[in-house]
Amino acid sequence: MEGDGSDSLVTIKNIERELICPACKELFTHPLILPCQHSICHKCVKELLLTLDDSFNDVGSDNSNQSSPRLWLHSPSLDKVDRINRPGWKRNSLTPRTTIFPCPGCEHDVDLGERGINGLFRNFTLETIVEKYRQAARAATAIMCDLCKPPPQESTKSCMDCSASYCNECFKIYHPWGTVKAQHEYVGPTTNFRPKILMCPEHETERINMYCELCRRPVCHLCKLGGDHSNHRVTTMSNAYKTLKEKLSKDIDYLIGKESQVKRQISELNLLMKETECNGERAKEEAITHFEKLFEILEERKSCVLKAIDASKKLRLDKFQTQMEEYQGLLENNGLVGYAQEVLKETDQSCFVQTAKQLHLRIQKATESLKSFRPAAQTSFEDYVVDTSKQTEVLGELSFFSSGVDVPEINEEQSKAYNKALINWHHPEKDRADSYVLEYRKINRDEEMLSWNEIEVCGTSKVISELESNCKYAFRVRAYKGSVCSPCSRELILHTPPAPVFSFLFDEKCGYNNEHLSLNLKRDRVESRAGFNLLLAAERIQVGCYTSLDYIIGDVGITKGKHFWAFRVEPYSYLVKAGVASSDKLQEWLRSPRDAVSPRYEQDSGHDSGSEDASFDSSQPFTLVTIGMKKFFIPKSPTSSNEPENRVLPMPTSIGIFLDYDKGKVSFYDMDHMKCLYERQVDCSHTMYPAFALMGSGGIQLEELITAKYLEYQEDM
């Protein structure tokens, strides 16, 4: 991985922040890859384990009998390092030792298992890039020949097999033509020597040749045959290398191509900030005008109102500034992109795969932020118009605050009710509040309010459990500073689903077509690949061939009771079908999808086919609605208009499905307002499954709270 000139050096210098260990904040030294896919220096892992180990021993000594000798504790730190690194040590042994510690990168607890540090891969790709950076930083600092007699000459090449650097003369002497050493691999001068073949840390004599998709790490054939990965899904290293390299290259190209879009959005943020500035000043002027008419009695309140407007303006400007800095950061992705480009130069498949997965996730997150743009705050100050119509006797109480403590504001976008309620709120001066009290109460069907339930909260969010299904709840929050309490925030009304939440993931085995569909590792998102296969099918359209639907179902069936689940359809989706289907109907579709009667031609399909008019009351073993092109299509029925424009609704942000198995009824909901859009009878004589189908490009994302079967580590930056 030699440099290619000045451009390469500039790129290397821009990626320093990618080469810093999250623990010691210095350049990586012998980085190891943790199970959560983050890298950390070898010495930092040891120090963390020793620190936690000492804490464990201190706690144990406090709880032990003071008269008993502590002969089981070994004091020398080097001895402790040996035990931590020693293979075969077990956690339930007589001498307990810590192998669980929080990753400095993601703060997840990682368990190194019985082998400890010996079970971790060394990140050779990252180590090579760090060494290139060090060489670029040293610039003129030369690497001297290891074999010259004093004084040594400057080296011209390094042998990867001998792990030494040579000048031209010494290289010829120690690598003569016609010998085995003449076949050694040599590169430019370097101090970073790594093994030519990546070996398995679990089976030290075996070469890495496979990739475990569940654990997201390279493995050897013994790991698959009888090790910890025997029941896991693995793929060949070449396939993993090809897939990751294609995805990473595509996302890098996307980021580079979006530079103009980021600049445009930064300009838009600048305009929004100016508009906020103007509107804030205008609100101040209007407030001053009102207060001047109210003479001396309003002077005290005037300063309070101005302070509130300034605080609100500052909060919004801070939000816009923060958002602009985030987008500015995308322009400064030269470091991330440069680092990724260096990773792409890695030719060793095993080394590339162990480094590229985590990098690909970070690139993905950066690209996703470009797909949706929403200003971080409102520019209007309509809520800060002073009401001067009140009578003179109440002017003394005119204020935005009644106690001097700012009023919290519930974030409606981040608050939602599903199987639990998640309530988030903002506080302009959060450091001034000691605590918050979240209040909630149920609203009866006749809109009668019950008494408030109170929960004391230290942070600015709270998850509330044990909510009843199909009920409205009101939420509000107030802040406390000592004994002083702020007024309550505006109430937020949320509607819980009509039935308990049904937890499932996509089934990657039953009928899943991996040539047309792409399923993520967590199995809560599926995308349709409308590409080369569709073009090939298009050549046969003239002879009556049509493009079929690709089905995917949930991995759990329903045999009784009431259940509710929700999902999001990507706005770019061409055609997506969603609903329920019985096990026998699914077998028919998946066994011969071209010859069997398809829901595209049966009723409930959402398309204007003649069969829909035949028998509205007949109960089918499936019900699927159609979503596509940002529209939600209601199928024909006696209770709905047959005019097409009356059966087309805007696509909801999130769609919910309610299945009453015992009554044989399925309903479709707009989750934003918990409003039923369509319902009908369905034959539930067999096991029912959540069913989905895609045609053309599209994507389906299950709501986060229903994906209860999480992998051990979630994907992060």
Side-chain angles (χ1 to χ4, degrees), residues 51 92 145 238 261 264 568 579:
T51 301
N92 59 355
C145 177
S238 59
Q261 177 182 338
R264 183 173 64 254
R568 299 190 304 274

Side-chain angles (χ1 to χ4, degrees), residues 146-336:
D146 294 326
L147 281 301
C148 279
K149 295 181 179 180
Q153 301 295 316
E154 182 177 337
S155 65
T156 57
K157 53 180 67 69
S158 296
C159 178
M160 302 304 291
D161 294 270
C162 301
S163 298
S165 298
Y166 302 87
C167 64
N168 283 332
E169 294 301 323
C170 290
F171 187 81
K172 293 177 182 177
I173 294 173
Y174 290 97
H175 295 78
W177 289 103
T179 65
V180 176
K181 286 191 174 183
Q183 306 300 321
H184 285 188
E185 178 186 357
Y186 63 91
V187 295
T190 182
T191 58
N192 179 51
F193 300 99
R194 67 182 192 186
K196 300 181 67 175
I197 300 175
L198 194 62
M199 307 302 290
C200 177
E202 193 74 23
H203 308 94
E204 298 178 355
T205 60
E206 297 298 326
R207 179 178 179 178
I208 292 298
N209 56 6
M210 288 182 288
Y211 182 75
C212 177
E213 296 181 350
L214 180 62
C215 301
R216 290 172 289 171
R217 62 173 292 172
V219 296
C220 70
H221 73 282
L222 292 182
C223 293
K224 174 60 179 173
L225 291 177
D228 296 336
H229 307 269
S230 57
N231 296 323
H232 295 179
R233 185 171 63 185
V234 300
T235 184
T236 63
M237 188 59 66
S238 59
N239 285 342
Y241 173 82
K242 180 180 178 181
T243 301
L244 279 174
K245 191 161 188 175
E246 287 178 354
K247 290 181 178 179
L248 190 57
S249 301
K250 182 179 178 181
D251 289 341
I252 291 174
D253 293 340
Y254 180 85
L255 268 182
I256 295 175
K258 289 297 180 179
E259 181 177 357
S260 60
Q261 177 182 338
V262 176
K263 291 181 178 179
R264 183 173 64 254
Q265 291 173 348
I266 290 177
S267 300
E268 184 177 347
L269 287 172
N270 280 321
L271 293 176
L272 291 173
M273 291 179 65
K274 292 179 180 179
E275 184 179 350
T276 302
E277 186 78 34
C278 293
N279 289 344
E281 293 300 323
R282 187 179 298 113
K284 286 177 61 176
E285 294 174 1
E286 292 176 356
I288 292 174
T289 301
H290 285 297
F291 276 106
E292 287 177 348
K293 297 178 182 179
L294 300 178
F295 304 107
E296 296 180 356
I297 195 173
L298 298 178
E299 288 297 325
E300 179 183 357
R301 302 300 174 187
K302 178 175 66 174
S303 60
C304 295
V305 171
L306 295 179
K307 180 180 178 181
I309 293 175
D310 283 333
S312 178
K313 183 182 72 174
K314 181 179 182 302
L315 174 63
R316 301 179 194 197
L317 290 174
D318 289 344
K319 290 180 179 179
F320 282 127
Q321 182 66 36
T322 301
Q323 188 177 17
M324 186 170 69
E325 290 174 358
E326 291 175 356
Y327 277 77
Q328 187 70 42
L330 296 180
L331 286 182
E332 298 171 359
N333 262 343
N334 292 338
L336 179 60

Side-chain angles (χ1 to χ4, degrees), residues 309-585:
I309 293 175
D310 283 333
S312 178
K313 183 182 72 174
K314 181 179 182 302
L315 174 63
R316 301 179 194 197
L317 290 174
D318 289 344
K319 290 180 179 179
F320 282 127
Q321 182 66 36
T322 301
Q323 188 177 17
M324 186 170 69
E325 290 174 358
E326 291 175 356
Y327 277 77
Q328 187 70 42
L330 296 180
L331 286 182
E332 298 171 359
N333 262 343
N334 292 338
L336 179 60
V337 172
Y339 172 57
Q341 289 173 334
E342 290 299 320
V343 171
L344 286 175
K345 296 178 182 179
E346 176 59 58
T347 57
D348 186 291
Q349 297 182 358
S350 302
C351 295
F352 176 84
V353 169
Q354 70 175 5
T355 304
K357 178 59 182 178
Q358 178 64 24
L359 179 60
H360 176 239
L361 297 177
R362 296 183 58 193
I363 295 290
Q364 269 191 324
K365 188 159 186 178
T367 58
E368 288 175 359
S369 66
L370 299 177
K371 296 180 181 178
S372 61
F373 175 73
R374 178 179 295 176
Q378 298 292 331
T379 61
S380 173
F381 282 76
E382 295 177 355
D383 294 338
Y384 291 87
V385 176
V386 179
D387 182 10
T388 60
S389 63
K390 294 183 179 181
Q391 299 178 359
T392 304
E393 56 267 28
V394 297
L395 288 178
E397 302 175 359
L398 180 64
S399 175
F400 290 139
F401 345 105
S402 63
S403 61
V405 180
D406 293 333
V407 181
E409 177 185 352
I410 295 182
N411 188 323
E412 297 186 13
E413 294 182 356
Q414 296 182 4
S415 300
K416 58 183 178 180
Y418 199 35
N419 50 0
K420 299 178 182 178
L422 171 64
I423 309 299
N424 279 277
W425 58 88
H426 302 298
H427 198 212
E429 298 184 29
K430 184 173 62 174
D431 56 333
R432 290 187 55 191
D434 296 331
S435 62
Y436 301 88
V437 170
L438 176 62
E439 299 181 344
Y440 68 98
R441 64 182 178 183
K442 180 182 174 183
I443 305 175
N444 286 342
R445 299 189 182 277
D446 54 0
E447 300 301 319
E448 176 186 355
M449 297 280 193
L450 302 180
S451 60
W452 289 97
N453 300 294
E454 296 186 353
I455 303 177
E456 185 174 356
V457 185
C458 293
T460 56
S461 66
K462 182 65 178 177
V463 176
I464 302 176
S465 307
E466 300 179 356
L467 299 180
E468 297 182 27
S469 299
N470 198 24
C471 292
K472 285 184 179 180
Y473 283 87
F475 301 88
R476 69 185 187 187
V477 65
R478 63 180 186 271
Y480 276 88
K481 176 64 175 178
S483 60
V484 180
C485 174
S486 76
C488 289
S489 66
R490 288 185 296 176
E491 294 184 12
L492 172 66
I493 307 297
L494 295 178
H495 198 302
T496 57
V501 171
F502 181 57
S503 297
F504 68 92
L505 298 172
F506 288 121
D507 191 339
E508 81 280 17
K509 299 176 182 177
C510 183
Y512 172 62
N513 188 338
N514 56 12
E515 294 183 358
H516 296 175
L517 300 180
S518 175
L519 187 62
N520 67 350
L521 286 177
K522 290 168 61 176
R523 294 195 288 123
D524 64 348
R525 179 181 177 84
V526 64
E527 293 182 346
S528 175
R529 302 172 177 173
F532 189 64
N533 293 323
L534 187 60
L535 294 176
L536 292 178
E539 296 181 353
R540 300 189 294 273
I541 290 180
Q542 296 179 357
V543 294
C545 177
Y546 60 84
T547 303
S548 61
L549 293 167
D550 293 299
Y551 295 95
I552 189 167
I553 64 174
D555 61 353
V556 182
I558 299 173
T559 57
K560 63 179 179 179
K562 299 178 180 180
H563 303 276
F564 185 89
W565 60 93
F567 59 93
R568 299 190 304 274
V569 175
E570 294 295 344
Y572 64 82
S573 300
Y574 175 69
L575 189 151
V576 171
K577 286 180 174 292
V580 297
S582 66
S583 54
D584 62 332
K585 191 65 178 178

Side-chain angles (χ1 to χ4, degrees), residues 25-41:
K25 306 302 180 183
E26 298 178 356
L27 290 176
F28 283 106
T29 303
H30 303 308
L32 303 178
I33 301 179
L34 299 177
C36 58
Q37 301 299 305
H38 289 95
S39 294
I40 184 173
C41 294

Side-chain angles (χ1 to χ4, degrees), residues 7-77:
D7 292 341
S8 175
L9 295 179
V10 172
T11 302
I12 283 292
K13 292 178 181 179
N14 287 338
I15 64 175
E16 179 178 359
R17 61 183 179 182
E18 304 295 331
L19 310 180
I20 300 297
C21 172
C24 62
K25 306 302 180 183
E26 298 178 356
L27 290 176
F28 283 106
T29 303
H30 303 308
L32 303 178
I33 301 179
L34 299 177
C36 58
Q37 301 299 305
H38 289 95
S39 294
I40 184 173
C41 294
H42 182 270
K43 60 181 177 62
C44 294
V45 179
K46 286 187 176 182
E47 291 173 358
L48 285 171
L49 288 174
L50 287 175
T51 301
L52 295 174
D53 200 24
D54 289 338
S55 300
F56 179 86
N57 289 337
D58 292 340
V59 173
S61 63
D62 292 339
N63 296 332
S64 63
N65 188 340
Q66 297 297 324
S67 63
S68 61
R70 297 175 60 190
L71 298 177
W72 55 275
L73 284 177
H74 298 268
S75 57
S77 58

Side-chain angles (χ1 to χ4, degrees), residues 698-711:
I700 301 172
Q701 173 71 56
L702 299 180
E703 279 287 359
E704 181 180 1
L705 291 179
I706 72 170
T707 56
K709 304 174 184 177
Y710 285 114
L711 297 177

